[in-house]
Structure formats: C-alpha cells, structure tokens
Amino acid sequence: MRAVHFLSFLVLLKVELNSGVWRYNNILEDGNLFTLQNAVFLQYDGSDLVKWEYPESCSVNNKSSPKAIMKCTSTGFKMVKPLVSSPEEEETRSLFITDSYFSFIWYAVIPINSGSTDACFQKLRIWIVDPEQAGPAEISQTALVPSLQSRYVTKHFYNNGQYPMIQMLNSTQKVLGDFQEEGWYWKAAIRGDKEYSNVHISGQPVSFQHRFVIDSQHTFYSVEPEDPNGGREVSLRLAPGYPLSLVWGTCKPYHAVLLSDSGALITKNAFLTSVELKVDPGMFPVPLEGYFTVDQAALLEDGIIFRIDDALYWRDDLDGVLTEHPQLPTSGVKGLYQRTCCVSHYQSQDVELSSLIVWTNNSLLLGPKQLKNLGRSSFLQAALTLSPNATILTASFGSQAPLLAALVMYDSPGAGLRPHLITYNELSPGWVTSTFMTKLKLEDVPQGPFQMLFLESAHASLLLWNEETILYSFHNDNDRGEIRPFNASHISAAAFGSKIHQVSMDHNWNMLVKMENNMLFFCKVGMHEVVLLPQWMEPDSRTVLYLDPKDLFNMVTLTTTGLHVQKYPMTMETKSAMQGSYHDCPFISFKHNMNSVSYHIDKGDKMGLWAEIVYPEGKGVHVKFLSNRNDLLSITQKYFFEGVNSVDTVNMTFLISQEVDYSDATSYTDLVKKTTGIVTLELIPNQIGNTCNLPKTRISNFNVGCPPNRHIRVARPSGMPCEMNSLTNYTIPRSVLRDPSQEDLVVNYDWDEFGCLLETHYKNPFQPTLVLYDGDNFVQDINANFILWEIFGRMDYSFNESMRQVGCLCEAQTWRSLLTPGQILEEAWGPENYRSCFKVVPGKLGNLDVEYEIMNSSSNNFLTFSQVDSAIYVFNVKILDPNLSFCDLRAVFAIRTYGVTIPKHEYITSYTELLLFFVIICILGYSYWRFLKIFRNMMATRRQTFE
Ligand SMILES: *[C@@H]1O[C@H](CO)[C@@H](O)[C@H](O)[C@H]1NC(C)=O
Ligand SMILES: *[C@@H]1O[C@H](CO)[C@@H](O)[C@H](O)[C@H]1NC(C)=O
Ligand SMILES: *[C@@H]1O[C@H](CO)[C@@H](O)[C@H](O)[C@H]1NC(C)=O
Ligand SMILES: *[C@@H]1O[C@H](CO)[C@@H](O)[C@H](O)[C@H]1NC(C)=O
Ligand SMILES: *[C@@H]1O[C@H](CO)[C@@H](O)[C@H](O)[C@H]1NC(C)=O
C-alpha cells in the first residue's frame, strides 16, 4: 500500500515539474464541433516544443508549431501530446472525434438599433454557418450580416426547405424565422427584455451536402456603458495573495463581479466585456495604499455590498458612492453568502425568499435581492441569535429554495470542537439540528475555515469543504463521507498540497473542484470519487471557473494584459481523463419526462410521469423517486420491465394526484392551509457513475394550490348576441331592489368590468356556461355547483326549480338563510360553508317548496327574469363546489332582457280598469246588501203589523 502511495506521489511530482501546459479547442469553442469535419486547434504554452505526437489517422498542419491545427479522418479517441525537449513528459490527452451529420451551426445576432420601435420586441437575424468556412466576424460573434460563404450555405438550406424555430428559454412559444431574400438571412421578432435574452434555435431535418444544422442556444445582451469615472474613484482589491473571487447576480447570472488582489472587475454580459469596478469614496478617507481592501462582495439588483474589515458597505448602482448604509451592520460581520440560483419559479405565497445571508459570530441575518426594498421594514432580518459561546462558521442556502443552513460551533468544555449543522425553513421559521458530522470521530472532524454548498434535492444534500478536503452528506445524511481522488487521502494531497479554490456545479450534474494551482477534479454530483483532469491552465495563472448562462464552464483568467475568457471543453476533458479507466456508468441510459422546474397541482388534479432506465442485466439498477413531504400528494408507482439480450429496461410510471375531500370540512380554511404547499420531487437512479449521462432536470417543485392566472369566464351562448358600448347608464326601479328603502338606482355601466351585454328574450330561462382558463389557455368546461347574485341588488329574477324538484333531501342553503345582518354578499356563501342538500340530515327536512338557488351545468335549474319589465342584470357568479379548485373562482356577466310587450302605461290602464271593476262590484254588492237589509226591515215591520 505504501509503495502504491509512493508511486502515485512520484507520478504527481512529475506532473508538478511540468513546465508547459497544453490546450485545444475548435474554431468556435463549441463542444459539439469535435468532429471529422472540423479542425482541432492545439496550443502549447511553453518554449520547449519539439513536435506534436498524434495518430496516423490525423494530420497536423505544422508539427513543430506551438499553435497547430489538427484534422482527423477517422473517428474515435485520438491520443495527442506535445513532445518536449525538457526531460519531463507532457500529459497525453485522448480526444474523442465523432462523425457527426450535424456540423452546420446557427448564427444569430440582434443588431443594435435594428429599427425596432416596439420596446417589447427584438429583431433577430439568423443564418447558417459552416464552422470551417466561417468569416472572422462570425468567429468573433460580431457579424451583422452573413459572410459570402454563409450566404451560399444559407441560401442552399433555404431552398431545401430549412427554417429556424426560435424559442425563448423561459416560454414554450415558438417563433418561426422569416427569410429575407435581400439580406440572405431569416428574421424573427422575439419578445423579451433588451438587457438579456436566451433563445434556443432548432431547425428542420433538412440537409445540405448530407450535413445537418445543430440545434443551439444563443444569448444576447445589451449593456449600457458604465458611467465614466469622475476621477475621484478608488479601486477595490482583495488582500495581497488572495485567489480570485467571483460573485454573480442571483437571478442575473450574467452580472458578475470578479475580485482580485489587483482590482475588481464588473461585467453585465457574462464576461463578453468587463470594466474595472471602482467606488467614489464619498465621506471616507482614501486609504494610504490608494485602494480599499475588501474581503467579500455580494451583487444585489440595485447595488453591491462589500465586506471590509467586518463591516458592510453599500455601493449604489445609481451613484457609485461607497456609503455606510443605515440598513447594513457596521461591525462584527464574519461572512456573506449570496444565493447562487434564482428561485423565482418557487412561488410561495406572500413570502419573498431571501437572497443573502449575513452572519456575525452568533447571529444570522437574511436579506432580499434588493436593498431598496419597498414594503419591507428593514433590509436584513434576524433569523437566528445564539448564545455568546456559539460561533457561526459558515452558512448557505439549502437543497430546497426556502431552506438555509448554518454550521455552528459551541465553545463549551463538554462539547468538544465539533461543529453542528442547523437548518432553517423560511416558510415555517424554526431551526432544526441535523445529524451531519455527529457520527464522525472527534479527531476526524476537519478544521475550518469552511465553505458549504447544498445540491438541489428533495432530501438535504450538501458538500462542506475546508482548504483540503470535501465532506459530503447526501439524502438527509443517509450517505456521508469524504470526497476523495483515487489513491490519495484527500483532494489537496492529490494536488501537491494546493488549497481548494472553487467547487462549482453546472445544471447537468457535473461538478468541478478547482485548486488554487489550477488543477481540476471532476465528478458527477452525488459521486464520492473525483477524477483528476489534465492541467488546463498554468499553475500560477490567476483563474476562476465561471458557469455562463448557457450552462457552460468558462475559464476566466486575469493576466497583466487583461481578462481572458475561454470556453472550457469539460465534456471532452472528462472523457479524456476517464478513457480506459475503471470509471463507468452502471446503466446505459436514463431518461424521464419530469422536465419542468415547476408544476401546478389544483384540487383533484392527476398527473402521470415516467422514468425509464436501461441497464446491463443483473446490475440491480432502479429509479428512486424522492419527495420532501408525503402529506400533500399521493403517488402510485407501476413498473414495466423488459429484458432483451441481457439488457434490462424498466419503465416506471408515477401517478401523482391530489386527493382530499373538502366537502363538509369542519374548517375549510384550515384544511386548505394544511393541504397546500410545495412538494419537491426528485428522480434519480439508485446508482450512478462518473461517466453517466444524466438528464438535465433532477428535481421539480409541485405547487399544490391555486395555479397562477387560473380564472373562470362565462361563455357566450352560441347565437346569443352580445352588445358593446350601447349605453352609459340605466335605472333600476326601487321596487325591485333588495333594499326597498332605496331610491331608484342609476347604474353607470362599466364596459371594461362587466363586458358586453348578452341579449335574451325575457321569457327564455338562462343558465350561464362557465369555463376554466389559465391565462388565455382553455382548461376545461366547469361542471360544478355555482351561485350568483345581482351586484346592484336587483331581486326581480328567480330560479325555475324548487328544492323538491331538484331532489333535495333536506332544506337547501339560500342567500336568505346564510346572510347575517351587516355581512357582504360575497362573504356569506362559498365553498367554505357549502352544505349539500342531497344528504339526509336527521330530524331536519324543512320546507322544500322554496326556490333552489344553486346552479350546475348538468342541472335544469335556470334563471328566469322579470316578466313585467325588460331589464339589465349584472351578475356575479362564484363557484360553490369545495372540491373544484384552490382558487377563488368568480366572474361577472351582464344580461339584458327584451320582448316584454305590454308597455307600462297599458299595463297600468288595465290595472286601473280592474280596480274600477272591482270597486263597481263592491258598490253593487254593498247596494245589494243595503237593499236586502232595507227589504228585511220592511218585511219585519210588516209582520209585526199583522201579528
Ligand atoms: C511551423 O512552425 C514553426 C514554429 O512556429 C515555424 O518556425 C515554422 O516556420 C512553421 N512552418 C511552416 C511551414 O509554417
Ligand atoms: C421571459 O423572460 C422575459 C425577459 O426576462 C420576460 O419579459 C418574459 O415575460 C418571460 N416570459 C415568460 C413566459 O415568463
Ligand atoms: C452556552 O452558554 C450558555 C450560558 O451563557 C449555557 O447555558 C449553554 O449551556 C452554553 N451552551 C453550550 C452548548 O455549552
Ligand atoms: C413509459 O411508459 C409510459 C406510460 O406507459 C409511456 O408514455 C412512455 O413513453 C414510456 N417511456 C418510454 C421511454 O418508452
Ligand atoms: C345617463 O346617460 C345619459 C346619456 O349618456 C346622460 O345624458 C345622463 O346624464 C346620464 N345620467 C346620469 C344620472 O348619469
């Protein structure tokens, strides 16, 4: 064992002694273009090159040139290395050359002042480039029109039926390009903001010379030039000897600040351009050195926070003056952590998730992504205050958006020097202690300073590192240990004692560990073993890794001549490093269709997902579906297994459903609160390897609650006219108002709010048809109970069915029974207090011969309108069914009846006649009665006379 270690030490030592470093790329620095058709540019940094060594199937234009161009005629791994005159050998790389039918690329540009007057749209020009024939302006991405060669290619493709489809990264809508004969390119207008757009361009399966166009992603930036310095500005630097430090905007990763010991740089276009970041010292005296020495920075949306000598200072974007902001602590600040991934897709109700953690020795504060935040009492709010014997070592945001964590050490005799990890949930505030590190022997507990990074996961998963080693704890601490290279006790030992500089991850599960001497290690996120990659940069160059908005790693190098940015061909480098090694992948392929970062689940929704894994027989591979909470959704799984020729395929399907019955809830509001929230689900294979290809999405957030923009509309019945802007006001007679004490009511008709006026004959019964929409997208017709009320208080309408007719088993709810004095209508009745009348309530039958006021598209209960007057009604409708949706679904519609033939005066005349007739009858009746009385009296008098 010792011999092996010694050997590996020797091997490592040899690498260390290397004087040169070599790199390669293709003309467009595009990982897809290492193909037979495209040349590989080899570059050796050193003065002792003898010649390049390469396989026979490749040719090099000038073997002895440090900048040579290689082309290969067959596919596969090509062993390439420079032979040098010094005794040490250079590293050999195995470059994987493919034969791709896809070797043309889309070129896209947004010309500045493209004549677009519409601020919402940007005009895009798109054409096709043959990378090998690209013009210099096309290579440098500055071309505004196609080169001669590209025109030729583009025209041919166009004639063969090719056209680009453009999709904004954050939307599903596709825009088609429109070919411009005069310009030899396609034009397309994309919606989006001027500052940044990220589009995906795909084409048709159309070839030219048997070659196709590769789908690609393009980013565009428009940067306002920084205000020129006024001469007072002072530089900002890290303390001498510190490695570069990079921070980027949480939701604008193309905004970044690079701190170095020779100055700070700021970019607003992912390092396409950058300028020196300086501050106006304002009230502060300029330090003797002539610059401010900063420890850390955080890039907010309205300015930059600097940590200088344990105090926080503010540089506002508007004036660039360094100030002591009243909202920022002026002492004791030990660290800052800025959220690295935007969480705007995580739609939690009324809580803005924090973007910044600030900690002192024993308190932890949280802040949003803007300092000048209206509606928030103070920028930083305390989340944790510990006793003075505690020290916060580091802090970070957690595996799910609302979580964060701090590593805390208690200084007490019994506790030993063991840090504790405590986690916090911003949506249900409270701290929980994790088991992380509790199982470690005290002597194995690493020493700080620490940095911490959580992986996106349904179960807390984190990396914690100091200068030498990385500890991991995956899936709620069920899998823990140390990330190690092969044959070395820890990462630093495999890098000649160099310190860990950066731990960086892309969104495709790739992780790079960069050492201060620029050695790189790679692993798939979730693996325990890192692979040493070939040296890309000289050990002494000042370099950082930067993940750009296209999810590609860039090497940003600061030299005396300025900032240099190169694409780092990570896929090729990792392939080369693992070629012929024992690294492999336990499965052949893994894919799933959970490809959206968030889903919305309303009441009763069901959603199917599948995940398919293909693996060599007997590997025991399966798919894990993890969830961070099991109470909101029910998930049923099914397996479909197939084994063919020693290859097993498992397709797992998951039915995700929301199944809660909200009817007759004792407290509807509490039940809704308890059954809404966000569930994070994660789909991963149970085993992975460093060479695996993994799908881009690993987790999705299932938002159980009211989907955004969900609403109902009242559909216009076919054939029913709908009138627009035909009146400004109308009068409702007091006799038909709910509140009879009122005057006649003059209503100003609000066309924007009430919409058009549906016209119907007064004798026609009417039932509104309700339709569910998400934004402008139709979801479904609604077949659920609803109620309505006239918003101006008209009462001259009724329902044509009684409770008995609809089949009630007890007296149904009515407005009259539910309204309590002083209550407004919309609050009196709704899903929260709805009780069905189709259930027997013992001992309570009530009067069923009353109008039933609840409607449903499947019932025959219709509205009937005033039979004595043509009228305008404006109704509010509201869904009553407690199981339809989490949303408060309401809509307004207006209806005007016509066709009442008896004009009012005629009606009154006939009424008067009736009254007259009645009076006459009365008079006649009275006369008759009088006559009878008189007659009787007469008779009686006469009888008395005779007796
Ligand atoms: C090849 O490269 C070497 C070194 O840069 C240079 O001296 C030589 O002139 C080149 N040869 C040709 C044929 O270009
Ligand atoms: C996409 O992003 C652009 C620019 O940030 C924004 O204007 C647009 O509203 C977004 N679209 C969607 C569907 O989110
Ligand atoms: C820290 O100090 C407080 C008193 O100041 C004490 O109650 C507490 O037990 C101490 N905590 C630990 C972990 O020693
Ligand atoms: C897995 O099964 C589901 C449901 O049967 C199906 O829709 C899906 O296409 C299958 N996946 C693959 C990769 O065949
Ligand atoms: C109703 O509208 C008519 C015609 O537009 C207008 O002349 C009248 O003043 C309005 N009445 C009231 C009370 O607003």
Side-chain angles (χ1 to χ4, degrees):
M1 199 62 201
R2 189 170 291 170
V4 172
H5 273 204
F6 181 68
L7 261 179
S8 64
F9 176 71
L10 273 189
V11 171
L12 295 170
L13 197 67
K14 212 168 67 184
V15 179
E16 172 80 322
L17 291 174
N18 271 348
S19 52
V21 165
W22 74 276
R23 291 183 280 279
Y24 58 93
N25 223 320
N26 54 48
I27 190 154
L28 297 174
E29 299 195 328
D30 185 333
N32 293 311
L33 295 180
F34 292 106
T35 63
L36 292 182
Q37 290 78 18
N38 295 290
V40 182
F41 289 60
L42 307 174
Q43 185 191 342
Y44 178 72
D45 277 2
S47 52
D48 52 352
L49 178 75
V50 176
K51 63 167 189 171
W52 291 95
E53 220 176 52
Y54 51 89
E56 273 179 5
S57 56
C58 300
S59 62
V60 164
N61 67 336
N62 181 349
K63 274 189 203 187
S64 56
S65 166
K67 288 189 172 180
I69 300 172
M70 181 178 84
K71 271 198 101 162
C72 297
T73 53
S74 71
T75 59
F77 282 105
K78 307 294 170 192
M79 309 278 271
V80 180
K81 81 169 182 184
L83 285 180
V84 290
S85 53
S86 49
E88 300 82 29
E89 268 189 48
E90 281 297 331
E91 278 179 285
T92 305
R93 282 187 167 94
S94 304
L95 305 182
F96 189 72
I97 305 296
T98 56
D99 183 9
S100 175
Y101 291 111
F102 291 87
S103 57
F104 286 105
I105 55 157
W106 295 106
Y107 182 95
V109 63
I110 297 178
I112 306 162
N113 299 329
S114 55
S116 156
T117 45
D118 190 343
C120 291
F121 284 96
Q122 300 207 69
K123 295 257 166 64
L124 199 62
R125 287 180 189 173
I126 300 162
W127 62 87
I128 297 170
V129 175
D130 180 352
E132 283 303 284
Q133 312 270 338
E138 289 169 336
I139 293 168
S140 62
Q141 299 281 304
T142 53
L144 298 181
V145 289
S147 68
L148 210 59
Q149 181 64 27
S150 301
R151 284 185 186 195
Y152 170 77
V153 172
T154 304
K155 189 74 197 249
H156 269 279
F157 265 107
Y158 170 69
N159 290 340
N160 291 352
Q162 181 63 276
Y163 59 89
M165 289 195 296
I166 303 105
Q167 186 177 8
M168 293 287 292
L169 213 63
N170 61 354
S171 92
T172 51
Q173 205 186 340
K174 286 187 175 167
V175 180
L176 302 185
D178 180 21
F179 195 71
Q180 309 288 306
E181 293 276 354
E182 68 281 11
W184 308 70
Y185 51 74
W186 286 274
K187 239 161 102 173
I190 55 165
R191 191 183 278 278
D193 77 60
K194 281 241 173 337
E195 188 183 76
Y196 168 68
S197 25
N198 193 338
V199 300
H200 183 263
I201 302 183
S202 54
Q204 307 308 306
V206 167
S207 71
F208 171 55
Q209 296 166 344
H210 307 294
R211 293 155 61 200
F212 295 83
V213 192
I214 314 171
D215 290 358
S216 53
Q217 200 180 333
H218 300 258
T219 46
F220 306 101
Y221 309 91
S222 151
V223 181
E224 297 284 321
E226 291 284 311
D227 288 337
N229 290 333
R232 272 173 56 78
E233 284 80 1
V234 176
S235 294
L236 300 153
R237 295 188 185 182
L238 289 176
Y242 269 76
L244 300 183
S245 159
L246 181 69
V247 288
W248 58 90
T250 302
C251 286
K252 295 182 174 178
Y254 47 94
H255 282 197
V257 167
L258 182 66
L259 299 176
S260 79
D261 60 5
S262 60
L265 290 163
I266 185 165
T267 180
K268 292 193 171 167
N269 54 10
F271 287 110
L272 288 177
T273 59
S274 59
V275 291
E276 183 169 5
L277 174 71
K278 292 183 169 187
V279 289
D280 182 331
M283 311 290 283
F284 297 108
V286 179
L288 282 179
E289 315 81 276
Y291 55 84
F292 290 103
T293 306
V294 296
D295 298 312
Q296 261 186 310
L299 189 57
L300 303 194
E301 289 190 350
D302 49 357
I304 304 172
I305 292 176
F306 293 104
R307 183 165 72 89
I308 300 175
D309 291 335
D310 291 355
L312 297 186
Y313 298 90
W314 175 244
R315 178 196 185 271
D316 200 292
D317 278 350
L318 294 178
D319 57 13
V321 178
L322 192 71
T323 53
E324 246 178 24
H325 197 279
Q327 300 272 356
L328 295 174
T330 50
S331 66
V333 178
K334 296 297 173 190
L336 290 180
Y337 185 93
Q338 188 173 357
R339 199 188 273 278
T340 51
C341 287
C342 195
V343 290
S344 56
H345 61 273
Y346 197 94
Q347 278 144 346
S348 57
Q349 283 86 28
D350 33 84
V351 179
E352 184 190 346
L353 296 179
S354 306
S355 283
L356 186 70
I357 306 176
V358 172
W359 65 93
T360 65
N361 271 336
N362 40 38
S363 70
L364 187 141
L365 309 151
L366 299 176
K369 55 181 187 281
Q370 286 189 345
L371 180 96
K372 288 173 280 184
N373 200 315
L374 304 168
R376 194 177 158 113
S377 56
S378 63
F379 170 64
L380 292 174
Q381 288 174 357
L384 176 69
T385 310
L386 295 166
S387 56
N389 51 5
T391 313
I392 297 176
L393 303 177
T394 188
S396 159
F397 287 98
S399 284
Q400 293 127 44
L403 300 182
L404 54 106
L407 196 69
V408 176
M409 181 103 89
Y410 291 98
D411 179 22
S412 66
L417 290 175
R418 184 193 294 278
H420 297 266
L421 185 75
I422 53 174
T423 59
Y424 179 80
N425 188 335
E426 286 193 67
L427 298 181
S428 55
W431 289 88
V432 180
T433 305
S434 141
T435 56
F436 179 59
M437 288 225 256
T438 50
K439 302 234 164 59
L440 227 54
K441 278 190 247 146
L442 208 50
E443 61 267 29
D444 291 340
V445 173
Q447 300 299 301
F450 291 109
Q451 288 190 68
M452 192 159 62
L453 182 65
F454 279 78
L455 324 178
E456 281 197 314
S457 172
H459 292 164
S461 298
L462 74 134
L463 302 173
L464 177 81
W465 66 96
N466 61 9
E467 290 172 342
E468 299 182 328
T469 192
I470 304 177
L471 299 185
Y472 68 87
S473 157
F474 297 150
H475 300 122
N476 293 336
D477 209 30
N478 281 317
D479 178 12
R480 63 180 95 80
E482 198 173 338
I483 292 188
R484 288 204 176 95
F486 176 67
N487 257 354
S489 56
H490 51 71
I491 286 187
S492 179
F496 317 111
S498 182
K499 295 173 185 169
I500 296 173
H501 179 201
Q502 277 180 295
V503 175
S504 206
M505 278 178 230
D506 71 6
H507 296 106
N508 278 315
W509 305 43
N510 297 304
M511 179 171 122
L512 290 175
V513 181
K514 182 189 165 297
M515 311 303 289
E516 287 184 2
N517 67 357
N518 296 330
M519 288 178 76
L520 288 170
F521 296 89
F522 163 83
C523 72
K524 283 282 164 183
V525 170
M527 292 297 295
H528 315 154
E529 189 185 322
V530 286
V531 182
L532 175 65
L533 299 180
Q535 185 94 22
W536 185 263
M537 295 303 299
E538 289 80 359
D540 55 353
S541 84
R542 293 190 293 169
T543 300
V544 275
L545 285 169
Y546 168 64
L547 188 71
D548 71 17
K550 293 188 203 170
D551 203 31
L552 297 172
F553 282 110
N554 287 251
M555 287 278 184
V556 178
T557 311
L558 191 63
T559 68
T560 46
T561 59
L563 200 64
H564 301 272
V565 184
Q566 293 172 324
K567 290 267 175 303
Y568 177 65
M570 185 199 63
T571 314
M572 184 64 92
E573 286 290 90
T574 55
K575 245 186 202 151
S576 168
M578 292 187 286
Q579 207 264 320
S581 75
Y582 60 92
H583 288 280
D584 68 351
C585 184
F587 53 85
I588 298 163
S589 77
F590 171 58
K591 52 189 176 184
H592 59 72
N593 70 342
M594 190 178 78
N595 43 28
S596 173
V597 288
S598 63
Y599 293 94
H600 293 282
I601 306 280
D602 203 348
K603 285 177 188 168
D605 278 357
K606 286 187 169 47
M607 207 182 112
L609 288 176
W610 56 262
E612 187 204 63
I613 193 153
V614 182
Y615 55 93
E617 193 176 49
K619 279 270 191 181
V621 180
H622 63 264
V623 178
K624 292 199 285 185
F625 198 40
L626 310 174
S627 163
N628 68 334
R629 52 189 294 192
N630 297 320
D631 55 332
L632 296 187
L633 294 171
S634 53
I635 300 172
T636 50
Q637 309 190 356
K638 275 190 194 155
Y639 292 77
F640 298 95
F641 176 86
E642 194 181 29
V644 177
N645 297 336
S646 343
V647 172
D648 292 349
T649 304
V650 173
N651 184 358
M652 288 179 73
T653 59
F654 307 92
L655 184 69
I656 297 169
S657 52
Q658 199 278 346
E659 297 169 354
V660 178
D661 184 8
Y662 295 88
S663 52
D664 304 325
T666 36
S667 169
Y668 175 85
T669 339
D670 287 352
L671 186 59
V672 165
K673 205 176 221 169
K674 232 173 68 190
T675 52
T676 49
I678 300 179
V679 186
T680 302
L681 296 178
E682 179 176 2
L683 265 178
I684 47 165
N686 64 329
Q687 307 172 29
I688 60 166
N690 275 331
T691 61
C692 291
N693 279 325
L694 292 159
K696 212 175 176 94
T697 19
R698 170 178 27 174
I699 66 161
S700 288
N701 295 307
F702 288 72
N703 202 330
V704 185
C706 174
N709 304 321
R710 178 158 284 195
H711 63 278
I712 53 169
R713 298 182 190 177
V714 177
R716 180 154 70 96
S718 64
M720 188 180 282
C722 197
E723 223 181 292
M724 232 15 224
N725 297 318
S726 54
L727 54 88
T728 54
N729 58 40
Y730 64 92
T731 305
I732 305 175
R734 54 184 285 202
S735 56
V736 302
L737 288 174
R738 189 174 295 126
D739 179 0
S741 63
Q742 278 178 311
E743 299 283 284
D744 285 0
L745 186 65
V746 178
V747 173
N748 288 315
Y749 193 88
D750 185 338
W751 290 98
D752 292 333
E753 205 190 326
F754 306 151
C756 66
L757 266 173
L758 293 166
E759 302 265 319
T760 188
H761 191 269
Y762 79 105
K763 280 195 175 144
N764 289 342
F766 180 79
Q767 193 190 59
T769 306
L770 305 184
V771 189
L772 193 64
Y773 275 84
D774 279 341
D776 280 332
N777 301 323
F778 168 85
V779 180
Q780 65 185 65
D781 289 324
I782 292 178
N783 178 16
N785 290 339
F786 63 92
I787 47 173
L788 43 72
W789 65 96
E790 214 284 333
I791 64 180
F792 297 108
R794 281 194 97 109
M795 293 294 279
D796 53 343
Y797 63 92
S798 58
F799 297 90
N800 67 338
E801 289 204 321
S802 69
M803 297 176 188
R804 190 184 301 283
Q805 279 169 313
V806 297
C808 281
L809 301 175
C810 64
E811 192 175 309
Q813 290 173 310
T814 58
W815 283 108
R816 189 189 294 270
S817 69
L818 289 164
L819 253 179
T820 52
Q823 200 176 22
I824 50 170
L825 279 172
E826 33 266 86
E827 283 172 9
W829 197 1
E832 64 283 353
N833 61 358
Y834 170 66
R835 294 287 179 272
S836 167
C837 71
F838 304 108
K839 286 181 191 151
V840 183
V841 179
K844 192 188 152 201
L845 183 63
N847 179 8
L848 297 186
D849 294 315
V850 182
E851 267 178 20
Y852 186 61
E853 295 178 354
I854 301 167
M855 305 177 95
N856 189 314
S857 63
S858 61
S859 80
N860 289 320
N861 197 18
F862 281 71
L863 273 173
T864 52
F865 301 109
S866 170
Q867 300 295 305
V868 295
D869 213 349
S870 290
I872 291 175
Y873 301 85
V874 182
F875 287 108
N876 248 321
V877 287
K878 177 176 177 181
I879 298 290
L880 193 59
D881 196 331
N883 285 326
L884 181 75
S885 173
F886 286 110
C887 310
D888 182 11
L889 297 175
R890 296 167 192 217
V892 179
F893 70 98
I895 197 157
R896 169 152 72 186
T897 59
Y898 62 87
V900 179
T901 47
I902 318 163
K904 221 167 180 167
H905 64 273
E906 272 177 37
Y907 176 74
I908 288 169
T909 329
S910 55
Y911 183 76
T912 327
E913 271 167 16
L914 208 73
L915 205 71
L916 204 71
F917 178 69
F918 184 69
V919 169
I920 291 167
I921 295 279
C922 288
I923 292 170
L924 283 177
Y926 180 73
S927 334
Y928 178 66
W929 177 74
R930 282 295 297 179
F931 164 76
L932 271 186
K933 207 170 172 187
I934 293 166
F935 182 72
R936 264 195 210 123
N937 282 348
M938 235 164 70
M939 289 298 282
T941 328
R942 194 178 288 177
R943 215 177 282 147
Q944 273 169 8
T945 332
F946 285 115
E947 279 168 17

